[in-house]
Amino acid sequence: MLKFIKGNLESIDGVAVYPIISLLIFFIFFAALFWWVFTAKKDHIKEVSNIPLELSENETNDKNDLPL
């Protein structure tokens, strides 16, 4: 199967540019993500990490209305 794909791709002019562009996009994305992780403020990270643990107003009202 790779033989058919390789044969079709060889007939396209300038097809070697696409893997290079893909690698650059991949590298730039993860380099930016790496930079963001190390420059993010600790307060912001703590605030975002506590979001799933916080109860909304609707959840607290619903739990108080339930009979024991």
Side-chain angles (χ1 to χ4, degrees):
M1 172 137 176
L2 183 62
K3 186 175 168 182
F4 297 115
I5 296 171
K6 188 177 178 184
N8 289 333
L9 290 176
E10 286 177 348
S11 65
I12 300 172
D13 291 332
V15 76
V17 172
Y18 295 111
I20 295 169
I21 292 172
S22 299
L23 181 64
L24 285 174
I25 292 171
F26 178 82
F27 179 76
I28 290 169
F29 174 77
F30 281 103
L33 187 64
F34 185 76
W35 173 78
W36 180 81
V37 166
F38 282 105
T39 59
K41 294 181 180 178
K42 301 297 179 192
D43 294 335
H44 175 70
I45 292 175
K46 284 182 184 178
E47 180 182 340
V48 172
S49 66
N50 287 328
I51 289 174
L53 302 175
E54 295 175 357
L55 294 175
S56 68
E57 291 181 18
N58 292 337
E59 291 176 9
T60 57
N61 290 340
D62 292 343
K63 288 183 180 180
N64 291 336
D65 293 340
L66 293 175
L68 294 176

